[in-house]
Amino acid sequence: MLGIKQLKVVLKNDYTVDTLFEAIKDHEFTPGKPKLVKHGFTNIICFPELDRQNQVQIIPGMTQGAKPGPKWTVMKAEAAGMDNLAKNVAMSALTNGWGNMGSIVGKNSKLCEKHVEAVAKELQELGI
């Protein structure tokens, strides 16, 4: 729906972003190997971006915050990282939002949605 794709995953154990990354960093997921990226004031787990508007990310559940917990969200988002954050804000401002259409339509948008589904399934299947 309009370029948004989020799936909730409940793991068997409690993790922080850093400890979950340690648990999965060597696993090859459908979109590739995960990486830990500084995004704003926090770290997130993400996969190689398809383009600046389509990347699979794993973030803690809303009520979990920075505390260890089992609830996670696998989602489609703009490319993470401090450099990408600045570029995405600038592009959106320069194009009055039209530069973000790639997150809603196109082959990368659809592929990224499929990658979100695959990562959520693969994460559950790890049994962690």
Side-chain angles (χ1 to χ4, degrees):
M1 174 175 89
L2 295 178
I4 299 170
K5 183 73 170 192
Q6 296 182 346
L7 296 175
K8 307 295 182 204
V9 176
V10 179
L11 303 176
K12 290 183 179 180
N13 300 301
D14 291 349
Y15 295 94
T16 63
V17 171
D18 293 333
T19 59
L20 179 58
F21 177 72
E22 284 300 315
I24 67 171
K25 70 180 181 183
D26 295 324
H27 183 76
E28 185 77 31
F29 289 84
T30 296
K33 285 206 171 218
K35 55 187 175 179
L36 192 62
V37 174
K38 180 80 170 161
H39 189 66
F41 296 107
T42 188
N43 287 334
I44 64 170
I45 299 168
C46 59
F47 296 87
E49 64 266 14
L50 297 172
D51 57 37
R52 74 171 186 84
Q53 297 170 325
N54 293 287
Q55 181 180 52
V56 177
Q57 300 172 0
I58 302 173
I59 63 169
M62 295 301 282
T63 59
Q64 186 172 310
K67 299 179 295 191
K71 296 181 181 179
W72 295 84
T73 300
V74 179
M75 63 184 224
K76 173 181 176 262
E78 290 184 331
M82 298 305 288
D83 289 344
N84 287 326
L85 186 61
K87 288 177 195 172
N88 289 333
V89 169
M91 182 61 76
S92 183
L94 285 172
T95 63
N96 207 19
W98 285 100
N100 296 334
M101 291 301 291
S103 68
I104 299 172
V105 296
K107 70 176 185 160
N108 281 348
S109 177
K110 295 296 179 198
L111 180 58
C112 194
E113 289 176 10
K114 289 180 181 183
H115 283 178
V116 167
E117 293 169 2
V119 168
K121 182 177 186 247
E122 293 165 7
L123 195 55
Q124 279 296 176
E125 290 174 348
L126 286 176
I128 58 174

